[in-house]
Amino acid sequence: MTELLDIARQTILAPAGMEDQDLNRILDNTLGSAIDSADIYFQSQRHESWVMEDGIVKEGSYNIDQGVGVRAISGEKTGFAYSDEIMMPALMQASKAARAIARGGQQGQLQAWKAAGGHDLYMSTDPLEALSTEVKLQLLNDVDAEARRLDPRIKQVVVSLSGVHEVILVANSDGSLGADVRPLVRMNVSVIAEDKGRREQGSAGGGGRFAYDYFINEQRGLEFARKAVSQALLNLDAVEAPAGSMNVVLGPGWPGVLLHEAVGHGLEGDFNRKGSSAFSGRIGEKVASEHCTVVDDGTMSQRRGSLNIDDEGTPTQQTVLIENGILKGYMQDRLNAKLMGVPCTGNGRRESYSHLPMPRMTNTYMLAGELDPEEIIASVDNGLYAVNFSGGQVDITSGKFVFSASEAYLIENGKVTRPVKGATLIGNGPEVMTRVSMVGNDLQLDDGVGTCGKEGQSVPVGVGQPTMRIDGITVGGTGV
Amino acid sequence: MSEKIVADFPDQEELQNVVSYALQLATENGASTAEAGMSYGAGLNVTVRMAEVETLEYNRDRSLGISVYLGQQKGSASTSDWSEKAIQETVKAACAIARHSGEDPYAGLADADRMATKLPDLDLLHPWDLSAEQGIELARECEDAARSHDGISNSEGASVSTHTGISAYANTHGFFGCYSATRHSVSCSVIANDEAGMQRDYWYSVARDAKDLEPAVQVGNKAAQRTLKRLNARKLKTAQVPVMLNADVAGSLFRHLISAVSGSSLYRKSSFLLDHLGKKIFPEFIQIQERPHLKKGLGSAAYDNEGVATQDRDLVRDGILQSYVLGSYSARKLGMQTTGNAGGVHNLQIKPTGLDFDGLLAEMHQGLLVTELMGQGINIVTGDYSRGAAGYWVEDGKIQYPVEEITIAGNLKEMFQHIVHVANDVDLRGNIHTGSVLIENMTLAGD
C-alpha cells in the first residue's frame, strides 16, 4: 500500500507541485463551513485502443485524462465539484463550491493522515507499455487470421484491443489516505457469417487487470476468435425462440448477469436506505431458494471487477448477499453505510473524478452446488438452455428485470437439441430466485467483459455462476 | 449557498487558437491532413429528495480530440488538458498511432467542396441564470407536486439541471465551425405501493431555453399520475396481438432504423436493410424527414462531425428508403456520397398519419399499449427483436388495466411493414420526433 501511495504521489501530486499538506489545506477549506466529512479524489488515466477491420489496422486512439473531484457531506446532503486541472487554485475553488451544500450540521474535524489498508490483487506496472506496438498489432493480425481461417462463411471480422492504466489517490477528512494503480485490458472479436443469403453475428472477448500478454498466453486471443466463429455459425441454423413461461437452464459463467440484474442492483445500499428497492427492509427474510448463496467479491486476483481499495479508499471485501436463500446484507459505500448504521463494504465506486461515488457491484456470483450440469439439463423435458447473453436491465423498485440471450438452445426430452434465435427473458428478481431448483458444481466467472451502468455512470464488473435451473421464467421468443 | 456557476467560459477566438495550433502541430509532425474538435461545458445539477436537498453538483468539462492522416494512415488522440505541452503530446501520440495503422484507401477528411459555407443561426444558446437556491426551490416544487398525490409513498427525487457548452471543429481544408448551445431539464421520479410491492415512474422536460420547459409542478404531477396508473399490474397470456408503442418509447423503433441504414452497419454487411435503398421498407403512408436546422431543436446542427453541411432531406418517402445515413468514410466504402451524418442524424421527423392518441387506441380496438421497454434484445444484423415491456391492456379502444413482466417480439423488417398508423401526439424531447405507433401484430410472451 505504501508503494501505491508513492506512485500516486509521484504521478498526481508531484507534477502539480503539491504535497500531502496541501490535501489538508483543501479539506480544511471544505470542512470550514460546518460539513460532517469531505473527500478529494484524484485520478490520472491513460487509455489506448486499436481496431482491426477488413484485415487492416484501421484505427488507433490514445487518450489522457486527469482531474480531481471534491465532495462535501452534511447529513444526507452532498455537495460536489470537480476540475480537470490538478492545481491548488482550481482545487480551492472546487472545494468552495462543494461546501455550499451545508447550512447547519456538525463541524467535521480533520484527522491526521494514516494510509488506508488495501489489497495487492494486480500488478502496478503500466499494461500499455508491457508490449511494443508491433507485438500488439501482430496479436490483432493473428486473431483476425484465425477467425477467417476457420470457415469460409466468415465474411467480416472486427478485432479490438484496449487498455487503461489508471492511478487514483483519495484523501478523506477522517484521515485516511488511499491510493490504487489499476491496469485493465480488454479484447473483443466480432464476426459476421454468411450462408445462402442469411447473415448472423457472433462475438467473444475477455480481459482483466493484467497486461496484454494474457491474450497471447495459452492462445486466449485465438480462442476468442474460435468462440465468436462458432457462435455465428450456430446462429446460421437457429430457429425461432419459443415464447411463454418455461423451465430454463442457464450455463455457467457469464449467464450470471442474471444475478447482477435480479438481485445485485436491488441490494445496493442507496436504494435500500431510501426504501426504493424491491429488497428494502427484507434482511433475514427468504428471498431465494435454499440452493442460492450469492456474494459480491472485490478481492479476486486480477479480475475485471476487482479493486485493491474502492473509490473512497475502503479496502474491498467479500460480502455475503444471500446465504442459502436468506438475505444477509447490502453493498455499501461510506455515505449509505453511515446513514444506515452498518459497516461500509468497500463498494463505493465512481466512473471518474467527475462523478459522485455510490454503492456499486464488483464481482457478483453464486457459489457452486453439488449437481452435475448434465443431470440438470437431463431433468428438463422441454425448455431452454441459454449459455450466452448480451446484457440486461432492471427496475429495482418493481423488481422486474430482463436479460437477453445471444446463444441458446432448445431442450427437448432432457437433451440439448437445436439452436434458437436470441430472445429476452423477463422476470421478477425476488420471485425468480425462489424458483432456482437446481445448482451445478461447475462455478465459473465470466471472461472479463462486463460493464455496468447506473445513473449514467459505467464501471467494469464481473459476474459468475454455476449451471442452474429456473422453474418457470418468461422467454420472449416469437414461436407461440 | 449563493454560488453561481463559476466558469471562465472560453470564447470562439480561444477555441480557434487552440484547434489551429493543434492542426499546425499535426502538419509539422508530418500529417498530410488533420482535423480537430474541442468542447467546453459547464453546468449545475441539483436534486431534492423528500423535500430535502440531496445533491448539488457543479460540472465543468472540456476535451480536445485530434485525428491525423499520414497519407492513408489514420491516428487519433484526445486530452482534457489544453496546455501547449498537452496538445503537443496529444498530436505526437496521434501521429505515432497513424504510423502503425494500415493503409486504408478510404481514410481521410470529407471532401473540401462539401464543407458547410453558411452557418445559420439555430437559436441554440439560451443561458439560464439559475442560482443553486433557485434550482433547489424549483426541484422542491416539482417533487412536492408529485408527493401531494394520494398514494405516492416514496420518492427518488426531483432534479433541475442547466448546462451551457461551446464546441468547435476545424480541419486542414481551412474549415472552422463553432457554436454555443444550452440544455436545461426538470425531472422527477416517485414511488407508490400496492399489495404486490412497489411501482415507480418518472417524467421529465428538456429544452434549449428554460422558458420552453414544462412547469415544474406539471412535471411532478405527470410523474405521480404515471406511477399511480401502474399499480395493480397483471401479467398476460402468451399470444399474437396488435401493439401500440406510446410516443415516448416509439422513437426507439426509428433509432433501430437509423442504426440499420447507417454506413458502418452497411459496409460491414451487418444490417437487415442491406441493399434496400430505393425499396419499400414501410407502408406508403410513412414519411420520414431529417430537419437539421430547426430553431432551438435538441438535435439541430449546421454541420456534421466532419464539417459537412447538413440539409433538410427525405429519409423515407411514401414508404421507400431514399437515402442511407453516411459519413465520408462509410460513403467512400460504399461508393457513395456523404449525407452529412458523421456523428448521427439531426432531428428526424416521422409524419403523423391523421389520428390522435385516442383515435389510435380506438383503431387498435384490442391489444397492448406499451409505455416502457426494457433491455437491448435487438439484432441489427437480422432485425430480430425481443424486448421486455410494460404498459396497458386495451379493449374496445379503451385502456383496461396495467400489465407488466411481458415481452414483445418480432422482426424489425416486418414490424416496419406492418405499421398501421402514427398518431399526432409527437414527443419533441429528443432527436427523433414521433407520435405513438400502432403495429398490426407482434408476439407477446407472458404466462
Side-chain angles (χ1 to χ4, degrees):
Chain A
M1 200 59 212
T2 341
E3 184 210 347
L4 294 179
L5 262 177
D6 286 341
I7 295 174
R9 285 185 181 113
Q10 280 302 316
T11 312
I12 293 169
L13 298 183
M18 289 172 60
E19 296 176 349
D20 286 8
Q21 66 205 42
D22 292 311
L23 305 179
N24 290 35
R25 279 180 56 208
I26 302 158
L27 284 173
D28 251 344
N29 186 56
T30 317
L31 288 172
S33 61
I35 294 282
D36 304 338
S37 63
D39 64 7
I40 323 171
Y41 177 88
F42 295 87
Q43 182 188 32
S44 166
Q45 73 166 21
R46 301 191 308 122
H47 171 268
E48 73 166 356
S49 74
W50 296 96
V51 179
M52 172 167 256
E53 189 180 317
D54 299 330
I56 57 172
V57 176
K58 181 161 287 184
E59 211 169 320
S61 69
Y62 179 75
N63 170 262
I64 309 171
D65 194 10
Q66 63 169 31
V68 54
V70 180
R71 174 173 65 151
I73 294 174
S74 171
E76 294 189 30
K77 300 186 186 70
T78 300
F80 181 58
Y82 58 87
S83 168
D84 50 25
E85 290 172 293
I86 298 182
M87 50 192 282
M88 281 308 281
L91 266 156
M92 294 304 262
Q93 192 185 336
S95 151
K96 189 174 163 220
R99 78 180 189 210
I101 193 71
R103 284 184 214 257
Q106 297 178 335
Q107 166 82 48
Q109 285 292 318
L110 186 57
Q111 307 295 315
W113 294 122
K114 54 185 182 296
H119 309 289
D120 182 17
L121 303 172
Y122 32 78
M123 62 179 200
S124 58
T125 49
D126 185 348
L128 277 56
E129 302 294 335
L131 289 185
S132 70
T133 303
E134 286 76 11
V135 176
K136 292 173 202 169
L137 301 187
Q138 188 59 46
L139 171 61
L140 288 175
N141 250 310
D142 293 347
V143 173
D144 175 85
E146 178 71 3
R148 291 173 193 281
R149 182 189 70 80
L150 287 168
D151 197 291
R153 289 172 290 177
I154 298 299
K155 301 296 183 197
Q156 284 282 321
V157 180
V158 180
V159 188
S160 64
L161 189 66
S162 64
V164 183
H165 186 231
E166 180 188 23
V167 181
I168 67 141
L169 176 69
V170 52
N172 191 295
S173 57
D174 71 2
S176 65
L177 184 63
D180 199 1
V181 180
R182 300 167 178 167
L184 187 66
V185 296
R186 168 87 199 263
M187 177 175 236
N188 198 72
V189 185
S190 70
V191 303
I192 298 281
E194 187 175 342
D195 190 29
K196 302 184 192 90
R198 181 168 171 177
R199 276 184 307 275
E200 293 283 353
Q201 62 186 348
S203 68
R209 299 198 181 277
F210 32 68
Y212 291 126
D213 56 1
Y214 173 86
F215 302 118
I216 299 172
N217 300 339
E218 297 173 37
Q219 298 197 343
R220 289 189 185 95
L222 300 184
E223 193 53 39
F224 294 146
R226 291 168 199 144
K227 273 194 194 174
V229 166
S230 124
Q231 196 184 87
L233 296 179
L234 266 165
N235 282 334
L236 282 175
D237 294 323
V239 297
E240 268 190 323
S245 180
M246 64 197 66
N247 296 328
V248 171
V249 177
L250 299 176
W254 179 239
V257 68
L258 161 86
L259 305 170
H260 181 99
E261 305 296 354
V263 297
H265 279 296
L267 298 180
E268 289 166 341
D270 46 353
F271 300 133
N272 288 283
R273 170 174 66 84
K274 297 172 189 175
S276 62
S277 164
F279 289 97
S280 296
R282 298 187 64 183
I283 298 261
E285 286 183 28
K286 192 156 186 295
V287 296
S289 79
E290 67 277 14
H291 308 292
C292 299
T293 295
V294 181
V295 302
D296 182 81
D297 189 350
T299 70
M300 306 176 83
S301 174
Q302 298 189 328
R303 299 228 50 111
R304 184 173 161 87
S306 298
L307 300 169
N308 289 323
I309 54 169
D310 73 4
D311 295 325
E312 297 180 301
T314 310
T316 53
Q317 65 180 49
Q318 185 187 88
T319 305
V320 177
L321 304 175
I322 295 172
E323 189 170 27
N324 301 323
I326 308 293
L327 181 58
K328 287 291 177 183
Y330 303 127
M331 288 167 276
Q332 299 287 2
D333 63 357
R334 290 189 183 207
L335 172 68
N336 289 286
K338 186 179 169 206
L339 293 172
M340 288 182 82
V342 296
C344 177
T345 57
N347 287 91
R349 303 185 65 184
R350 60 205 295 175
E351 180 178 304
S352 79
Y353 65 87
S354 64
H355 299 84
L356 275 170
M358 57 179 132
R360 301 297 294 263
M361 285 173 261
T362 59
N363 304 295
T364 313
Y365 62 95
M366 178 184 284
L367 301 194
E370 288 169 358
L371 299 174
D372 183 341
E374 294 299 321
E375 192 182 334
I376 298 177
I377 292 167
S379 75
V380 175
D381 282 341
N382 283 294
L384 192 76
Y385 178 51
V387 297
N388 230 314
F389 285 83
S390 59
Q393 190 183 331
V394 62
D395 173 341
I396 49 105
T397 303
S398 70
K400 303 297 175 291
F401 72 97
V402 293
F403 59 137
S404 299
S406 56
E407 183 181 346
Y409 306 81
L410 292 177
I411 304 177
E412 296 171 294
N413 300 317
K415 294 213 162 41
V416 173
T417 58
R418 290 170 293 171
V420 296
K421 285 170 172 282
T424 290
L425 278 63
I426 189 164
N428 181 330
E431 194 190 339
V432 159
M433 294 305 291
T434 63
R435 293 206 291 265
V436 174
S437 61
M438 300 172 96
V439 175
N441 57 13
D442 56 342
L443 168 64
Q444 271 183 37
L445 273 288
D446 73 284
D447 288 330
V449 294
T451 297
C452 167
K454 175 177 172 184
E455 291 170 30
Q457 293 195 40
S458 295
V459 296
V461 295
V463 298
Q465 66 172 34
T467 296
M468 69 158 87
R469 172 178 161 156
I470 300 171
D471 291 349
I473 181 169
T474 299
V475 176
T478 47
V480 179
Chain B
M1 229 190 315
S2 58
E3 298 284 321
K4 290 273 171 90
I5 304 163
V6 190
D8 312 313
F9 241 84
D11 59 14
Q12 176 166 332
E13 192 183 337
E14 188 177 339
L15 264 58
Q16 187 155 17
N17 288 342
V18 175
V19 287
S20 303
Y21 178 62
L23 292 180
Q24 182 200 328
L25 279 178
T27 311
E28 286 168 14
N29 278 271
S32 42
T33 56
E35 55 191 329
M38 61 194 297
S39 68
Y40 182 99
L44 168 69
N45 182 60
V46 300
T47 302
V48 167
R49 179 177 173 269
M50 304 303 274
E52 295 288 336
V53 179
E54 186 168 67
T55 57
L56 169 59
E57 291 183 62
Y58 292 92
N59 308 310
R60 194 171 72 101
D61 296 283
R62 58 183 178 175
S63 68
L64 166 68
I66 181 149
S67 289
V68 301
Y69 300 88
L70 307 180
Q72 297 308 117
Q73 295 171 290
K74 181 184 182 185
S76 304
S78 62
T79 176
S80 58
D81 185 347
W82 291 359
S83 68
E84 278 189 24
K85 183 164 165 281
I87 297 170
Q88 287 164 8
E89 284 170 13
T90 305
V91 169
K92 281 194 178 123
C95 290
I97 287 167
R99 282 187 197 96
H100 282 102
S101 298
E103 293 269 347
D104 185 344
Y106 308 104
L109 303 177
D111 294 345
D113 61 1
R114 300 297 305 276
M115 295 298 111
T117 48
K118 277 182 285 185
L119 300 182
D121 178 13
L122 302 176
D123 199 20
L124 305 180
L125 182 67
H126 297 273
W128 190 7
D129 187 21
L130 181 78
S131 69
E133 289 97 334
Q134 290 165 332
I136 289 164
E137 200 42 51
L138 208 52
R140 193 173 272 140
E141 274 177 34
C142 177
E143 201 209 24
D144 282 352
R147 291 178 63 217
S148 70
H149 288 249
D150 280 346
I152 296 299
S153 54
N154 197 349
S155 168
E156 293 199 307
S159 297
V160 173
S161 79
T162 172
H163 185 269
T164 303
I166 181 168
S167 59
Y169 169 84
N171 61 34
T172 51
H173 288 324
F175 177 86
F176 173 79
C178 181
Y179 69 94
S180 298
T182 46
R183 192 181 178 91
H184 319 291
S185 70
V186 179
S187 65
C188 184
S189 171
V190 286
I191 295 172
N193 291 60
D194 59 23
E195 279 178 14
M198 293 184 286
Q199 294 286 352
R200 72 168 172 193
D201 213 324
Y202 66 95
W203 190 249
Y204 71 96
S205 176
V206 56
R208 296 286 187 191
D209 186 341
K211 288 202 289 287
D212 299 329
L213 288 172
E214 280 181 51
V217 167
Q218 188 175 316
V219 171
N221 283 334
K222 280 193 187 171
Q225 287 155 2
R226 284 166 60 96
T227 298
L228 293 167
K229 275 171 75 179
R230 295 176 71 135
L231 291 175
N232 305 307
R234 309 182 198 172
K235 271 190 88 166
L236 291 168
K237 293 279 177 217
T238 301
Q240 302 278 345
V241 297
V243 170
M244 179 172 153
L245 298 176
N246 202 52
D248 57 347
V249 295
S252 63
L253 271 188
F254 302 101
R255 271 195 291 282
H256 305 325
L257 167 71
I258 297 308
S259 179
V261 298
S262 71
S264 59
S265 299
L266 293 166
Y267 82 71
R268 291 182 180 129
K269 300 199 187 306
S270 305
S271 165
F272 66 95
L273 291 178
L274 214 56
D275 305 322
H276 276 64
L277 196 61
K279 293 191 181 155
K280 196 158 163 294
I281 58 172
F282 286 99
E284 63 286 349
F285 53 81
I286 295 291
Q287 321 288 347
I288 305 177
Q289 281 196 319
E290 188 182 13
R291 301 282 309 280
H293 300 163
L294 290 182
K295 299 272 182 193
K296 290 186 171 180
L298 289 166
S300 295
Y303 54 90
D304 75 355
N305 288 1
E306 299 179 310
V308 173
T310 54
Q311 54 189 3
D312 285 1
R313 68 196 180 101
D314 290 343
L315 188 67
V316 171
R317 193 190 309 136
D318 301 334
I320 294 169
L321 181 64
Q322 303 292 318
S323 167
Y324 289 144
V325 172
L326 309 174
S328 69
Y329 181 79
S330 54
R332 283 185 206 117
K333 292 278 280 189
L334 295 165
M336 304 176 92
Q337 290 290 318
T338 175
T339 58
N341 290 113
V345 294
H346 306 100
N347 302 323
L348 211 61
Q349 296 187 329
I350 291 80
K351 195 175 165 199
T353 57
L355 290 177
D356 62 10
F357 177 80
D358 289 333
L360 200 62
L361 277 181
E363 174 74 25
M364 177 162 76
H365 191 67
Q366 177 169 317
L368 177 69
L369 167 63
V370 174
T371 55
E372 182 180 79
L373 286 166
M374 285 179 86
Q376 301 303 319
I378 297 114
N379 183 336
I380 290 297
V381 179
T382 59
D384 291 331
Y385 183 101
S386 166
R387 297 187 76 183
Y392 301 89
W393 183 247
V394 175
E395 279 175 31
D396 296 326
K398 298 269 185 312
I399 289 174
Q400 303 295 316
Y401 49 83
V403 296
E404 63 178 1
E405 209 179 326
I406 51 177
T407 61
I408 55 170
N411 185 283
L412 282 166
K413 212 166 159 176
E414 288 159 25
M415 288 158 63
F416 289 163
Q417 294 283 4
H418 292 137
I419 289 178
V420 183
H421 266 293
V422 178
N424 63 7
D425 56 338
V426 179
D427 186 353
L428 294 170
R429 294 176 301 175
N431 195 14
I432 295 180
H433 303 165
T434 180
S436 300
V437 173
L438 175 59
I439 298 169
E440 194 180 322
N441 192 36
M442 290 184 74
T443 303
L444 179 161
D447 279 331

